[in-house]
Amino acid sequence: MSTSNRRSLPLFALLSVVVVLAVLWVGVKFQRPDAAASTPAAEAAAPEGRTVTHGQGTTVVPLKPRRVVVFDLVALDILQALEVDVHGVAGDMFPQHLTRFRDAKYPRLGTLFEPDYEALQAAKPDLIITGGRSSAKYANLSRIAPTIDVPMSGKDFIASVIANTEMLASVFGKEEKARGLIEDLRKSVADLQQVTAPRGKGLVVLVTGGRMSAYGPGSRFGVIHGDFGVPEAAEGLRTSLHGESISAEFIREKNPDWLFVIDRDAATGQKEGNARQVLDNELVRQTTAWQKNQVVYLDPGITYLTGGGIQSVKQLRDQVASAYAQAQ
Amino acid sequence: MKRAFAAAAVLVTLAVVSLLIGASDVSWRALFAPEPDERALQVLVISRLPRMFAVMLAGTSLGVAGLIMQMIARNRFVEPTTAGTAESASLGLLTATLLAPGLPVLGKMMVATVFALAGTALFLLVLRRIPLRSALIVPVVGLILGGIIDSATTFFAYRYDLLQTVNAWTTGDFSTVLRGRYELLWVTLGLTCAAYTAADRFTVAGMGETFTTNLGLNYPRIVALGLLIVSLVTAMVVVTVGMIPFLGLIVPNLVSMVMGDNARRSIPWVAVSGAAFVLLCDIVGRVVGHPYEIPGGTIAGVIGSVLFLYLLLKRGARVG
């Protein structure tokens, strides 16, 4: 009897430690949502703030947000142009002009698709910005701090870039700066339209994993036609997110004077040149675009990752303009 | 004999239709006018003929690969996409892309083959450990195994933003086939012929290890040969055009419903029917959204899954 008691004593001790730990853990777990829930409520009730209308409704944001975390590269692009400082960012891939956000001084808060909620809590943001890929996480994120959503650039591409820029400028009181940027963009795009319109038809093709798809006006790369004024080589392309799957035959049949190529694989960090390989075939070589050397490989970073940013769209405009200038 | 003629007629018709459909105009009139349209002729030679061959080669070899797998696993619901072979090949391709991005296509294909072999062998190993080899358990095991391998692929592809690239391997698409870009597939014809010469062995192996050994044949060697053929075919098809789901399952099953289980007799039929099936899928994919395309693999998935359900639910399905 006594021996069995003695033997079970350590076991009992161990068991009670486990139980205590379990109770503590459960207690902590149950406390956490309360703590999380109380913060935004307190902030929403804060008197000073302005109401911002954004992609997913309206939000009251603090007048001078200081700890801003950004879950969208387009917003990051615009904020950088507005000279707004950012506290934390998400994702690992940044186009050329945003590479400074790779620096460790900007806390990494997960990916665009999957926020790291613990890191986000720790960052104590007073404003969260979502958009594009992270728009789906808006509901979750808005529970942590006031959140605004930058809508995807749609049919009137430049117009929505401008609207997004104005929206973000109003949040940070940068209206003056924004006005200059917008003025500059409007004028440069109008100039480009004069150049492109008379110079033949174009086709926008995205290449990924050896497959090609075409994009028309109103699509995510529709800015080429809709705003830059390049006439369409293929009419009636639908505006679906992934474009229309096409063959080399299709490109030759439409015979564009200009071929705008987005090498998606290069945008996401693989070796460049896959698109060149795919396009360099007996059929595409017969197109006017190929023969007149008017195949333009658009910077994959600014087209694919930050297409709707005011800096990116300006850079894209400049790239297209210089392609037309060179071909003269 | 009559049946052979009918089959040949169907195949030839589909092949001709496949030549005449596409984004550019390649009609009889353009080709056989007194002065043939040069552009049409070019398209025919550069794009349409290679595409037709690629489609037929993929259909033929995947059909026969499915047949061989079904004999080795002794189960009618096994084929490269229900046994983890295709998923393994895809994982191999991803590994090659991540670790050695500069590798030429042939190198990538070899890596994919090794992975496909390992994945299929693993499947067969798991099968041996399962006491109850009911007809439906076997493909379920294969699908689970494939799902696990696929999730590994998805995880790394997601991490390195290669999801769309992986997607290109997993859905068979013939839109990028051009002269000079599909020739690897001709090797699968050689493999199909090799399978044909070993047909009797596979028939015997389909009756089980003990039976085979009693007949004085080397069972492990037959299995190894079959695995090699299946893995090579799968890897080649995945690398050049992407995977076509269910093909290796439904074609051999439909053929065996008519022809019985003698591989020497059924392999030519499986080959022809496989080619016809993929031709049909590719044509539908080109017609539905003309002049844009829906991948033939997607169409095959739709038709295939319906036929798969039919085969599963068919009363008195011969199983085991």
Side-chain angles (χ1 to χ4, degrees):
Chain A
M1 187 74 182
S2 64
T3 42
S4 88
N5 253 344
R6 215 172 293 153
R7 217 181 277 161
S8 59
L9 201 67
L11 191 74
F12 177 73
L14 187 75
L15 210 72
S16 44
V17 167
V18 168
V19 168
V20 169
L21 281 178
V23 167
L24 278 176
W25 181 72
V26 168
V28 168
K29 230 190 153 204
F30 271 88
Q31 252 177 357
R32 211 179 274 161
D34 286 348
S38 66
T39 351
E43 262 172 17
E48 77 273 26
R50 82 180 86 209
T51 308
V52 176
T53 307
H54 55 85
Q56 302 205 23
T58 57
T59 303
V60 179
V61 301
L63 277 185
K64 286 212 165 70
R66 317 188 104 232
R67 298 175 71 82
V68 183
V69 299
V70 183
F71 282 85
D72 180 34
L73 290 173
V74 168
L76 206 56
D77 172 301
I78 297 175
L79 291 180
Q80 182 176 273
L82 293 173
E83 291 163 3
V84 171
D85 209 21
V86 163
H87 177 69
V89 292
D92 334 278
M93 269 178 314
F94 297 96
Q96 205 72 48
H97 66 291
L98 298 178
T99 37
R100 72 182 173 106
F101 293 104
R102 273 202 201 117
D103 198 295
K105 73 173 179 178
Y106 299 100
R108 200 53 44 81
L109 308 170
T111 68
L112 300 178
F113 298 94
E114 214 40 73
D116 180 344
Y117 291 99
E118 298 217 0
L120 187 56
Q121 293 277 9
K124 294 197 183 67
D126 55 12
L127 179 65
I128 302 173
I129 302 178
T130 63
R133 273 137 230 229
S134 63
S135 284
K137 300 288 172 197
Y138 174 82
N140 281 344
L141 292 171
S142 62
R143 265 183 250 148
I144 294 167
T147 306
I148 56 175
D149 184 68
V150 177
M152 285 268 264
S153 299
K155 262 200 154 16
D156 296 309
F157 200 89
I158 297 288
S160 63
V161 171
I162 289 172
N164 286 339
T165 307
E166 281 170 341
M167 190 255 282
L168 288 173
S170 81
V171 171
F172 295 96
K174 295 276 187 179
E175 285 89 346
E176 198 55 43
K177 179 86 191 147
R179 219 165 289 145
L181 289 167
I182 290 167
E183 193 57 37
D184 181 37
L185 179 66
R186 276 214 177 102
K187 194 183 163 317
S188 65
V189 168
D191 287 348
L192 181 61
Q193 283 178 355
Q194 305 301 314
V195 178
T196 52
R199 301 271 304 273
K201 296 175 173 180
L203 182 68
V204 183
V205 174
L206 177 126
V207 183
T208 185
R211 312 271 161 92
M212 299 180 290
S213 42
Y215 289 79
S219 69
R220 62 203 291 189
F221 310 120
V223 64
I224 303 274
H225 297 299
D227 297 288
F228 295 171
V230 178
E232 308 155 55
E235 274 168 47
L237 281 167
R238 276 178 295 159
T239 57
S240 58
L241 182 64
H242 291 293
E244 295 277 8
S245 185
I246 55 162
S247 56
E249 251 181 56
F250 178 86
I251 298 181
R252 198 194 74 152
E253 188 62 25
K254 298 299 172 192
N255 192 20
D257 301 292
W258 294 86
L259 200 54
F260 299 97
V261 185
I262 298 146
D263 188 345
R264 188 195 170 276
D265 295 343
T268 55
Q270 293 175 62
K271 80 181 167 99
E272 264 180 76
N274 285 340
R276 268 168 228 270
Q277 256 176 40
V278 172
L279 284 171
D280 187 4
N281 63 58
E282 292 172 273
L283 292 178
V284 174
R285 270 184 236 139
Q286 293 177 18
T287 58
T288 312
W290 191 277
Q291 284 171 357
K292 291 176 76 178
N293 214 3
Q294 298 186 149
V295 181
V296 187
Y297 291 90
L298 301 174
D299 181 325
I302 60 169
T303 42
Y304 192 80
L305 298 176
T306 53
I310 193 158
Q311 297 183 74
S312 297
V313 81
K314 179 70 180 11
Q315 284 177 24
L316 185 65
R317 179 253 166 231
D318 292 346
Q319 200 192 344
V320 172
S322 82
Y324 273 81
Q326 270 171 25
Q328 249 161 4
Chain B
M1 215 42 202
K2 236 185 221 168
R3 273 201 292 227
F5 273 122
V10 169
L11 188 67
V12 169
T13 314
L14 284 170
V16 170
V17 170
S18 160
L19 287 179
L20 298 180
I21 285 178
S24 339
D25 173 45
V26 180
S27 58
W28 285 126
R29 217 177 303 146
L31 289 174
F32 291 101
E35 277 174 38
D37 183 348
E38 202 188 322
R39 286 172 62 91
L41 271 176
Q42 268 182 342
V43 169
L44 187 74
V45 175
I46 298 170
S47 161
R48 298 293 169 78
L49 275 170
R51 184 168 186 159
M52 185 195 79
F53 285 133
V55 168
M56 290 172 72
L57 288 169
T60 298
S61 56
L62 284 178
V64 174
L67 181 73
I68 294 174
M69 280 204 84
Q70 284 161 29
M71 291 185 153
I72 294 175
R74 301 183 66 198
N75 186 291
R76 293 202 171 277
F77 296 116
V78 167
E79 69 119 12
T81 55
T82 60
T85 310
E87 288 81 1
S88 306
S90 180
L91 179 62
L93 215 48
L94 179 74
T95 311
T97 308
L98 284 176
L99 300 183
L103 214 60
V105 179
L106 211 63
K108 282 186 179 159
M109 199 212 78
M110 293 318 291
V111 177
T113 308
V114 171
F115 271 74
L117 264 173
T120 321
L122 181 66
F123 169 70
L124 291 178
L125 263 169
V126 174
L127 273 197
R128 286 194 166 196
R129 309 263 153 134
I130 293 174
L132 181 76
R133 286 185 57 176
S134 113
L136 293 182
I137 291 290
V138 175
V140 165
V141 166
L143 287 170
I144 292 172
L145 183 68
I148 292 169
I149 296 168
D150 194 40
S151 64
T153 310
T154 310
F155 175 77
F156 286 109
Y158 180 81
R159 274 287 146 124
Y160 295 96
D161 259 281
L162 286 166
L163 275 177
Q164 286 198 19
T165 317
V166 169
N167 197 32
W169 306 325
T170 42
T171 48
D173 183 351
F174 297 92
S175 67
T176 52
V177 171
L178 289 172
R179 183 164 74 187
R181 295 210 174 151
Y182 80 104
E183 279 73 4
L184 196 60
L185 277 178
W186 283 106
V187 180
T188 64
L189 186 65
L191 292 167
T192 309
C193 293
Y196 186 62
T197 54
D200 292 335
R201 282 157 209 269
F202 291 127
T203 311
V204 174
M207 296 178 192
E209 178 163 10
T210 332
F211 187 88
T212 312
T213 315
N214 273 341
L215 284 183
L217 290 170
N218 188 336
Y219 182 76
R221 199 183 290 169
I222 300 174
V223 172
L225 175 69
L227 277 183
L228 189 67
I229 293 177
V230 170
S231 303
L232 270 168
V233 163
T234 308
M236 269 170 211
V237 173
V238 166
V239 168
T240 42
V241 291
M243 200 57 202
I244 298 146
F246 296 114
L247 169 71
L249 191 145
I250 51 174
V251 169
N253 271 294
L254 293 176
V255 168
S256 89
M257 278 158 66
V258 185
M259 301 295 303
D261 288 338
N262 183 336
R264 182 163 298 281
R265 209 144 41 105
S266 57
I267 281 181
W269 285 91
V270 169
V272 169
S273 321
F277 178 71
V278 185
L279 272 174
L280 183 72
C281 293
D282 189 47
I283 290 169
V284 171
R286 272 185 276 176
V287 170
V288 169
H290 188 86
Y292 314 113
E293 307 207 359
I294 294 171
T298 308
I299 307 284
V302 173
I303 303 177
S305 52
V306 173
L307 285 172
F308 180 43
L309 284 177
Y310 165 74
L311 288 171
L312 273 181
L313 301 173
K314 192 164 61 83
R315 275 177 71 84
R318 289 170 306 146
V319 289

